[in-house]
Amino acid sequence: MLPLGALLAASYAPSPRSSPWSPARRVQEPLLAEFDVNAAVTRLNAAVEREDYAAAGRIKAEIEAGRGSSGAAVAPLVWDASALPAWLLARVEDLGFRFPTPVQAGALAARRSAIRDTVLSAPTGSGKTLAFSVRLVVEVAEQLEERASLATAAVSALLEEAPGGLSPTEAMGALSPALLLPGRDESGDATLPARGPPAGLVVAPTASLAEQAAQLLHSLVGGYSRESRTYDPGAKDSLFKFGGPKAVRVAALFTAEEGAAAAAAAA
């Protein structure tokens, strides 16, 4: 059974063609041969992360000058707080993305219009994966929060049962975000309510891009890799600091057989 609040994740290769129901909004940053704004934003985020605000100020001025030289109207390089749930804005910043790249800012700006379909066009390394991942989580945030409430109520009821209820450790595991990769045992979630279909779907051209996007989506909903990080309550991106919906699952499916099995389990 697919997990509650699931984001069935893979990476995304958008088609240049729009859907038959609506036109597509294209978000494209002017390419400046003399200035790499994406690399500059990466340096800006790194400077803020290490609290080198003098360097951050210089880099920010460099970005403003470089972008202004194109003469084209460009979106401001700030996350639109009105377009993001407060918990998601805090999470993005805690993950080190204090300032968005142009395509990331543009993806949210495009959501303000009545046009639902958006084509993201930008060079490699410009942050397209985070751009569509944040946009996806924004689109399904309300549904994730509703499903999380059901999971929390179910876990609370099981904790009150004796005998046969959950232990505190099992309860924390059930309500923590999870990244489900092929072959991973999901039996520990059997006590939670039926999760239903995935809240969002991302399609990828390769398995490696699928896993990359799945890991990023997992981090946005409160998780991070056990292999590369420790569970330090004091860390900015710690699960203990995360204020978003509980029990979100991100599942990456790499073959047609895995997809068919997941669809059957969710039916």
Side-chain angles (χ1 to χ4, degrees):
M1 184 167 293
L2 276 181
L4 180 69
L7 294 176
L8 184 57
S11 189
Y12 177 54
S15 167
R17 300 181 61 184
S18 62
S19 79
W21 298 281
S22 66
R25 167 71 179 271
R26 179 174 292 274
V27 177
Q28 184 168 13
E29 177 71 10
L31 300 180
L32 306 178
E34 69 278 9
F35 180 71
D36 186 343
V37 65
N38 302 299
V41 171
T42 298
R43 290 189 289 116
L44 175 59
N45 281 320
V48 173
E49 184 70 15
R50 65 177 184 267
E51 300 183 355
D52 187 349
Y53 299 114
R58 292 192 297 271
I59 297 169
K60 189 173 183 181
E62 175 187 337
I63 291 172
E64 292 172 351
R67 297 184 83 213
S69 66
S70 70
V74 291
L77 296 185
V78 293
W79 294 108
D80 184 353
S82 66
L84 295 171
W87 62 264
L88 182 55
L89 177 60
R91 184 64 178 174
V92 168
E93 293 183 346
D94 285 343
L95 290 172
F97 305 110
R98 182 67 60 88
F99 297 95
T101 64
V103 72
Q104 292 162 1
L108 286 177
R111 188 176 184 269
R112 289 180 172 275
S113 69
I115 298 175
R116 299 283 297 176
D117 294 347
T118 304
V119 176
L120 304 180
S121 177
T124 299
S126 58
K128 293 186 294 295
T129 303
L130 182 64
F132 77 72
S133 296
V134 169
R135 172 74 178 267
L136 174 59
V137 175
V138 168
E139 297 289 349
V140 302
E142 184 175 344
Q143 186 176 356
L144 295 182
E145 291 164 2
E146 291 173 354
R147 293 183 174 188
S149 295
L150 295 176
T152 301
V155 169
S156 296
L158 288 169
L159 284 171
E160 294 174 0
E161 291 181 5
L166 294 179
S167 70
T169 299
E170 290 171 330
M172 182 175 178
L175 293 178
S176 296
L179 175 59
L180 306 176
L181 299 175
R184 178 170 296 187
D185 181 13
E186 197 180 334
S187 60
D189 292 328
T191 53
L192 292 182
R195 301 180 187 279
L201 175 66
V202 184
V203 180
T206 67
S208 60
L209 289 175
E211 186 169 354
Q212 174 187 337
Q215 290 173 341
L216 180 55
L217 284 163
H218 179 236
S219 69
L220 290 175
V221 295
Y224 52 77
S225 172
R226 182 186 296 270
E227 290 76 19
S228 62
R229 299 296 303 276
T230 59
Y231 288 97
D232 178 8
K236 288 184 178 181
D237 59 350
S238 168
L239 169 64
F240 301 97
K241 186 181 178 184
F242 180 63
K246 309 297 183 185
V248 178
R249 301 296 187 259
V250 178
L253 307 177
F254 299 146
T255 67
E257 291 75 13
E258 290 165 358

